[in-house]
């Protein structure tokens, strides 16, 4: 995973399997993005996600207030059904609806 | 529908008879409850439905004798549930006997034979008399145990759906153990309607968080027809270890509180209504069920039903009938199991090939292999779950067995069962049936005292037999215990000496004396009663259990009772093993037996007179077993301080240290029977094929312990001879 600058938007392409190791990488990337001298939002692109673990969802969950504090947004774009279902199954459907998805 | 129309009915008949077996077993279990007075009106309805379903199918295949008997039986059941006949112990016994005769007719139909024209005529006549409101005459041949008349059936029907509140709090370390709450929640959602409330109070900030720690915890509300054990099973691998789970049954799922789907049958249903309910059931033995029912017949689910975490497609479709299970031929499942076994071997081979590659040089290959390993394990577990069945099927015969036998023997016995929903491989269940029956007979016949004897020693006149099943360390443990007189060790030892099984003067521990009852030739037909002696001695019990990779241990306290512990593998196909090397040979040790491994310091490896080599570990002496000597392997490390000692635990709780050269690694192995492909070898439970195509033998820890003791005796005798 890496952060790409796409016309002023910072984007991270989530891999097919976002496992425990990827959760750690994701956190590091989020901290990198927050550390950048930028007002750009961070977009997690989720169209490839086949499987995501609870650890990675926790990282995304912790990222939302961190970006909000920096007056920026953390959003998920093009989430697969599996990605969305995983949030809902953990009881985080409202978080997914309110904070994460780009309409 | 007939053969004349060109249909091949054999497949349908096979399905019908399978269903009959289940229905008969279910009816027997339910009738047991009626017999002991704990039955409800719903139990009567359940038996009625079983009989009606059997009749319905029999009619389709023109099994006229079966239809006739089932019809009379069903009519008697209807009279009972509608209050036209009075429940009584005699009536309950009659129904039980009726179920037996019904089973006879089913078997006759299945085998294509005709029963005697008067078969079951006495039972049939009595059942017909019930319908007319006549009294039940005392039954011949089988005596009924004296017991209190059952209480009148309670007016309310017990609900099959229960509501549970489940609190699930993982420890911070849980995710690192490979357990993911998401998977458990999905499994939980599959049990019923699940409402999920997440607690994020432990969530730290992004900067403070450990990405591999579990911070979220949950409270679930689950409405399900499954029991508490099924819920506990979801958390089996984390409960008490890396998570705290509490399961609490709460009010809220009583029938009639808004679901409507399972409205209780009226307690005194008129005959017409009853047969209507039965008709629906009768058509439902699987083959001819309609794909969908008219919407009007499907009560709407009210809005108050809790939101589901994972709505099923059928639920989303809105009232469409959906089946929750399918019937699959066992051969097909076995083929699937075998293929998964081959896949596990192939995956191990690929892993072996990639040993020289690093993550840096071939990241995608390594990641791919890790994924393959993960998916293979998940696939293997899923396939094994298909073969798994609750031991309930096995336990359901026990109440009647205990009741009939205690009556016959003039003893008073109470059966307490627990863990009936513990699941185990179907083959293991089949193999367990005879041994379990024998052990229960044995407990009643030899274990429990007569009421007079019990009173004389200050025990309650009624003895207790406890039948329990549970999962422990990746195995299933079944315990049959009684509070009887215990094993008379003096008598056992005398008998063993008489039979030449033990030399006079030989010193044996209590445990060794107890285990003598399993020695071949210990039991003889002339010495066992017609109750516990049916040609199946305790040695055969042990052999049956060993045949499925299990072990039986007995623990007995004189005057207080005996406990037989059966330890069996959950599955016969795949296991987790530790590959060890001994002098260039490779063996597999079942991971579930391993406690720890270490290279002992010189002061830890000692020699004790009469015991041999031992390892002193935290104040405990552990017998060392040199595997190279047991198996005659050259070039092996013989000095424990240069090799490795793997401390293993047997089912009886004994620990021994196995001396090996080195540990080669942990892997999942496919179990190949040595008995079927070669011959039984002492100390070896099975074989497997390793990733490089070589065969490795799987060690039998319990047998190794016995072999180790024998080796010590041999060494001692040899030293004495010198």
């Amino acid at each position: 995973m890496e952060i790409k600058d796409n016309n002023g938007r910072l984007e991270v392409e989530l891999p097919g399997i976002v496992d425990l190791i990827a959760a750690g990488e994701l956190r590091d990337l989020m901290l990198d993005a927050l550390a950048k001298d930028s007002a750009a939002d961070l977009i997690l692109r989720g169209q490839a996600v086949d499987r995501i673990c609870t650890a990675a969802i926790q990282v995304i969950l912790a990222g939302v207030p961190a970006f909000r504090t920096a007056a920026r947004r953390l959003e998920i774009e093009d989430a697969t059904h599996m990605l969305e279902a995983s949030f809902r199954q953990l009881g985080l459907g409202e978080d997914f609806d309110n904070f994460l998805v780009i309409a | 529908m007939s053969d004349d129309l060109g249909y091949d009915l054999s497949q349908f008949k096979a399905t019908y008879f399978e269903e009959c077996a289940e229905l008969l077993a279910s009816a027997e279990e339910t009738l047991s409850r009626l017999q002991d007075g704990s039955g409800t009106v719903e139990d009567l309805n359940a038996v009625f439905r079983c009989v009606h379903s059997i009749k319905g199918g029999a009619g389709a295949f023109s099994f006229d004798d079966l239809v006739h008997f089932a019809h009379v039986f069903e009519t008697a059941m209807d009279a009972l549930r509608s209050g036209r006949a009075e429940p009584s112990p005699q009536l309950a016994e009659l129904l039980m006997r009726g179920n037996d005769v019904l089973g006879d007719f089913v078997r006759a139909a299945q085998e294509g034979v005709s029963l005697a024209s008067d078969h079951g005529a006495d039972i049939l006549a009595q059942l017909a008399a019930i319908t007319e409101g006549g009294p039940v005459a005392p039954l011949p041949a089988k005596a009924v145990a004296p017991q209190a008349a059952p209480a009148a059936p309670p007016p309310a029907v017990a609900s099959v759906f229960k509501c549970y509140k489940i609190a699930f709090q993982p420890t911070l370390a849980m995710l690192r153990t490979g357990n993911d709450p998401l998977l458990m929640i999905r499994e939980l959602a599959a049990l019923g309607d699940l409402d999920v409330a997440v607690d994020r109070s432990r969530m730290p900030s992004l900067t403070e968080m450990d990405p591999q720690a579990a911070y979220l915890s949950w409270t679930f509300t689950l409405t399900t027809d499954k029991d508490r054990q099924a819920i506990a099973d979801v958390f089996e691998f984390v409960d008490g270890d890396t998570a705290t789970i509490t399961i609490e049954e709460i009010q809220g799922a009583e029938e009639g509180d808004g679901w409507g789907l399972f409205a209780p049958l009226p307690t005194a249903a008129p005959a017409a209504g009853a047969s209507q309910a039965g008709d629906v059931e009768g058509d439902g033995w699987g083959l001819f069920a309609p794909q969908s029912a008219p919407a009007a017949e499907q009560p709407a689910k009210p809005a108050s039903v809790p939101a589901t975490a994972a709505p099923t497609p059928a639920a989303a479709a809105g009232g469409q009938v959906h089946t929750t299970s399918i019937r699959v031929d066992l051969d097909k499942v076995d083929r699937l199991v075998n293929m998964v076994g081959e896949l596990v071997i192939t995956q191990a081979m690929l892993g072996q090939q990639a040993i020289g590659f690093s993550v840096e040089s071939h990241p995608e290959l390594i990641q791919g292999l890790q994924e393959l390993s993960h998916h293979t394990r998940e696939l293997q577990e899923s396939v094994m779950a298909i073969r798994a069945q609750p031991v309930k099927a096995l336990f359901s015969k026990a109440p009647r067995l205990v009741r009939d036998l205690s009556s016959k023997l003039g003893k008073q016995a109470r059966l307490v069962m627990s863990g009936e929903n513990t699941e185990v491989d179907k083959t293991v269940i089949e193999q367990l049936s005879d041994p379990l029956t024998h052990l229960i007979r044995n407990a009643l016949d030899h274990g429990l005292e007569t009421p007079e004897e019990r009173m004389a020693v200050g025990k309650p006149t009624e003895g207790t037999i406890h039948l329990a099943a549970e999962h422990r360390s990746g195995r299933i443990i079944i315990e049959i215990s009684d509070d009887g007189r215990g094993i008379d060790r003096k008598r056992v030892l005398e008998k063993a000496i008489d039979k030449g099984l033990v030399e006079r003067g030989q010193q044996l521990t209590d445990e060794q004396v107890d285990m003598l009852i399993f020695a071949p030739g210990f039991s003889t037909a002339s010495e066992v009663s017609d109750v516990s002696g049916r040609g199946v001695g305790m040695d055969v019990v042990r052999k049956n259990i060993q045949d499925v990779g299990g072990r039986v241990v007995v623990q007995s306290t004189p005057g207080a009772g005996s406990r037989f512990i059966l330890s069996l593998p959950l599955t016969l196909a795949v296991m987790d093993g530790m590959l060890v090397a001994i002098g260039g040979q490779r063996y597999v040790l079942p991971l579930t037996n391993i406690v720890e491994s270490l290279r002992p310091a010189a002061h830890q490896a000692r020699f004790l007179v009469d015991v041999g080599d031992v390892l002193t570990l935290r104040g405990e002496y552990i017998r060392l077993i040199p595997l190279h000597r047991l198996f005659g392997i050259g070039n092996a490390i013989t000095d424990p301080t240069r090799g490795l000692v793997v401390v293993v635990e047997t089912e009886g709780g004994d620990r021994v240290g196995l001396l090996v050269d080195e540990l080669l690694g942990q892997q999942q192995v496919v179990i190949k029977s040595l008995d079927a492909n070669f011959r039984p070898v002492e100390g070896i439970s099975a074989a497997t094929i390793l990733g490089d195509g070589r065969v490795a033998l799987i060690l039998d820890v319990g047998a190794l312990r016995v072999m180790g003791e024998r080796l010590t005796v041999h060494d001692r005798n040899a030293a004495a001879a010198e």
Side-chain angles (χ1 to χ4, degrees):
Chain A
M1 282 186 287
E2 57 181 341
I3 299 175
K4 286 181 183 164
D5 193 334
N6 184 5
N7 295 325
R9 286 192 344 161
L10 299 179
E11 292 182 354
V12 171
E13 193 84 37
L14 294 176
I17 294 164
V18 193
D19 57 12
L20 209 56
I21 295 165
E25 287 176 32
L26 187 59
R27 174 180 172 270
D28 293 343
L29 286 176
M30 283 185 184
L31 290 174
D32 287 350
L34 281 168
K36 281 181 189 290
D37 187 16
S38 163
D41 296 337
L42 180 65
I43 312 298
L44 303 178
R45 294 181 53 79
Q47 72 268 35
V49 176
D50 279 335
R51 186 150 55 89
I52 186 162
C53 67
T54 304
I57 290 178
Q58 285 185 156
V59 168
I60 296 172
L61 210 58
V64 173
F67 276 83
R68 195 188 298 132
T69 304
R72 296 161 68 184
R73 281 176 64 86
L74 172 66
E75 294 175 336
I76 294 179
E77 197 172 76
D78 297 337
T80 58
H81 171 72
M82 179 54 74
L83 177 56
E84 180 179 346
S86 298
F87 270 85
R88 296 196 188 286
Q89 283 158 356
L90 287 173
L92 299 167
E94 208 170 304
D95 298 73
F96 190 85
D97 294 337
N98 292 345
F99 303 116
L100 299 167
V101 179
I102 289 179
Chain B
M1 176 174 171
S2 74
D3 287 307
D4 298 338
L5 297 175
Y7 292 115
D8 176 12
L9 290 182
S10 59
Q11 188 187 342
F12 297 132
K13 281 183 181 170
T15 309
Y16 167 68
F17 288 123
E18 279 177 24
E19 182 132 335
C20 279
E22 289 169 11
L23 290 167
L24 287 165
S26 170
E28 176 160 335
E29 188 189 350
T30 312
L31 285 169
S32 287
R33 282 202 294 276
L34 293 171
Q35 208 169 21
D36 67 18
S38 63
T40 64
V41 171
E42 176 52 25
D43 287 332
L44 291 176
N45 288 325
V47 177
F48 174 88
R49 287 194 295 267
C50 288
V51 178
H52 188 81
S53 295
I54 291 172
K55 187 183 94 170
F61 296 120
S62 303
F63 298 140
D64 296 335
D65 291 347
L66 175 54
V67 170
H68 176 61
F69 186 85
H71 177 72
V72 176
F73 193 173
E74 171 194 60
T75 311
M77 287 303 305
D78 190 42
L80 187 60
R81 70 180 189 169
S82 62
R84 283 183 282 129
E86 282 298 310
S88 69
Q90 285 79 15
L91 182 54
E93 175 66 12
L94 173 66
L95 296 175
M96 191 69 105
R97 299 278 291 279
N99 198 49
D100 289 345
V101 176
L102 189 64
D104 294 340
F105 278 109
V106 169
R107 273 187 294 280
Q110 188 170 13
E111 291 162 10
V113 297
S114 296
L115 293 171
S117 59
D118 62 345
H119 185 82
D122 52 338
I123 305 292
L124 191 72
Q126 294 233 36
L127 288 171
I130 294 175
T131 315
E132 304 302 322
V136 180
L139 291 164
K142 285 192 177 179
V144 182
Q147 51 188 307
V157 175
S159 169
V160 290
F161 274 77
K162 288 178 180 170
C163 195
Y164 293 94
K165 188 171 187 178
I166 305 147
F168 171 36
Q169 179 161 17
T171 63
L172 290 176
M174 192 181 98
L175 302 178
R176 288 196 198 90
T177 63
N179 292 296
D180 192 328
L182 191 52
L183 302 180
M184 285 171 236
I185 293 172
R186 282 178 191 153
E187 215 175 313
L188 206 56
L191 297 180
D193 277 328
L194 186 71
D195 184 43
V196 184
V198 62
D199 174 6
R200 62 195 86 196
S201 58
R202 292 193 301 169
M203 275 288 293
S205 68
L206 186 66
T207 48
E208 289 167 347
M209 84 180 304
D210 172 353
Q212 297 189 348
Y215 297 107
L216 297 175
S217 51
W218 293 267
T219 302
F220 308 106
T221 308
L222 176 68
T223 307
T224 178
D225 59 347
K226 304 287 185 301
D227 64 4
R228 182 184 291 262
Q229 184 60 44
I231 300 168
D233 286 348
V234 171
F235 302 103
E236 184 189 358
F237 296 108
V238 296
D239 190 11
D241 188 11
T242 54
T244 307
I245 320 288
T246 55
I247 304 169
E248 184 191 343
E249 190 178 332
I250 54 172
Q251 298 297 315
E254 291 300 315
E255 290 204 34
D257 68 350
W259 276 69
L261 281 171
F262 298 90
L265 290 165
T267 53
S275 61
Q276 196 177 20
D279 289 344
V280 173
E281 195 63 35
D283 290 339
W285 50 270
L287 296 175
F288 310 113
Q291 287 302 303
S292 60
E297 290 179 12
Q298 299 295 314
K301 201 171 176 179
S304 61
V305 171
T308 56
T312 59
Q320 201 176 16
V321 170
H322 65 280
T323 53
T324 54
S325 65
I326 56 165
R327 199 175 283 274
V328 180
D329 192 80
L330 198 58
D331 284 346
K332 288 183 182 172
V333 177
D334 286 345
R335 279 206 297 277
L336 186 61
V337 170
N338 287 338
M339 285 311 299
V340 171
E342 297 304 320
L343 183 65
V344 171
I345 294 174
T346 309
Q347 178 250 319
M349 284 172 65
L350 286 173
Q352 185 94 15
Q353 297 296 320
I355 277 177
F357 299 118
S358 68
V359 184
E360 289 73 24
S361 61
H362 296 80
E364 286 170 354
L365 176 68
I366 300 297
Q367 192 186 352
L369 285 171
Q370 283 172 350
E371 283 301 315
L372 177 65
S373 166
H374 179 79
H375 292 319
T376 308
R377 177 171 284 268
E378 214 162 283
L379 180 64
Q380 180 254 319
E381 285 171 356
S382 304
V383 171
M384 289 306 146
I386 295 174
R387 281 189 59 95
Q389 287 188 333
V391 291
K392 195 175 185 177
L394 203 61
F395 282 16
S396 63
K397 295 174 188 165
R400 189 174 182 193
L401 184 67
V402 170
R403 197 167 40 244
D404 287 352
L405 280 186
S406 55
S407 165
K408 190 170 185 176
L409 293 165
K411 295 181 178 178
Q412 291 177 19
R414 184 170 66 100
L415 178 71
V416 179
M417 297 196 291
S418 58
E420 302 100 305
N421 289 307
T422 310
E423 290 195 332
V424 69
D425 191 277
K426 182 179 166 62
T427 310
V428 176
I429 286 185
E430 285 164 358
Q431 281 285 95
L432 265 181
S433 179
D434 285 345
L436 199 65
T437 303
H438 189 80
L439 288 171
I440 293 171
R441 284 171 179 275
N442 193 67
L444 271 161
D445 193 15
H446 302 305
L448 291 189
E449 310 93 331
T450 60
E452 297 75 32
E453 287 170 334
R454 292 180 67 86
M455 214 164 359
V457 293
K459 289 182 181 178
T461 53
E462 186 183 59
T464 304
I465 291 179
H466 198 162
L467 192 55
E470 64 168 326
H471 284 160
R472 200 187 295 162
S473 304
R475 292 176 77 84
I476 180 171
I477 306 292
I478 295 181
E479 286 188 15
I480 303 104
S481 56
D482 64 72
D483 63 350
R485 57 172 71 93
I487 293 175
D488 184 344
R489 296 197 175 104
K490 197 172 162 219
R491 253 190 78 212
V492 167
L493 196 55
E494 281 169 4
K495 196 169 161 186
I497 292 169
D498 287 347
K499 291 187 173 299
L501 298 170
V502 178
E503 288 173 25
R504 197 168 289 280
Q506 190 176 337
Q507 292 297 312
L508 295 177
T509 62
D510 286 350
E511 187 203 344
Q512 285 170 325
V513 175
D514 291 346
M515 291 304 282
L516 282 173
I517 63 171
F518 293 110
F522 185 82
S523 300
T524 66
S526 63
E527 285 170 317
V528 287
S529 71
D530 63 337
V531 172
S532 57
R534 283 196 164 187
V536 184
M538 294 297 268
D539 60 324
V540 180
V541 167
R542 181 165 68 170
K543 188 180 177 307
N544 277 13
I545 292 163
Q546 284 175 339
D547 283 348
V548 287
R551 203 175 326 285
V552 57
V553 173
V554 57
Q555 294 172 348
S556 184
T557 309
S562 303
R563 193 156 68 120
F564 290 84
I565 306 165
L566 278 53
S567 167
L568 298 135
L570 286 179
T571 168
L572 304 176
V574 182
M575 60 169 253
D576 284 311
M578 175 65 77
L579 206 56
V580 299
I582 309 162
Q585 302 285 326
R586 288 185 290 181
Y587 292 88
V588 177
L589 265 171
L591 212 56
T592 51
N593 289 113
I594 298 178
V595 178
E596 61 182 297
S597 62
L598 69 155
R599 174 166 291 155
H603 71 274
Q604 286 182 292
R606 295 187 184 178
F607 180 83
L608 290 185
V609 179
D610 286 347
V611 179
D613 289 320
V614 293
L615 168 76
T616 57
L617 190 63
R618 295 184 281 277
E620 189 186 354
Y621 287 103
I622 295 171
R623 181 193 295 276
L624 276 180
I625 299 177
L627 294 179
H628 63 277
R629 283 192 62 202
L630 292 185
F631 296 125
I633 305 166
N635 302 323
I637 295 174
T638 56
D639 179 359
T641 60
R642 287 182 50 238
L644 277 176
V645 173
V646 183
V647 180
V648 291
E649 190 170 73
T650 64
E651 276 71 38
D654 301 310
R655 290 185 178 191
V656 291
L658 304 178
L659 177 59
V660 302
D661 292 3
E662 59 177 324
L663 303 182
L664 298 176
Q666 179 184 329
Q667 73 177 69
Q668 207 177 21
V669 296
V670 179
I671 301 168
K672 301 283 182 189
S673 166
L674 210 56
D675 296 16
N677 297 305
F678 179 54
R679 62 177 173 78
V681 177
E682 192 181 12
I684 306 295
S685 61
T688 189
I689 301 168
L690 298 176
D692 59 4
R694 287 169 62 181
V695 172
L697 300 174
I698 301 171
L699 297 171
D700 180 345
V701 170
L704 290 177
R705 187 192 70 114
V706 176
M707 290 168 77
E709 285 171 5
R710 230 169 28 224
L711 188 67
T712 308
V713 172
H714 173 267
D715 288 349
R716 200 167 53 214
N717 292 342
E722 283 171 12

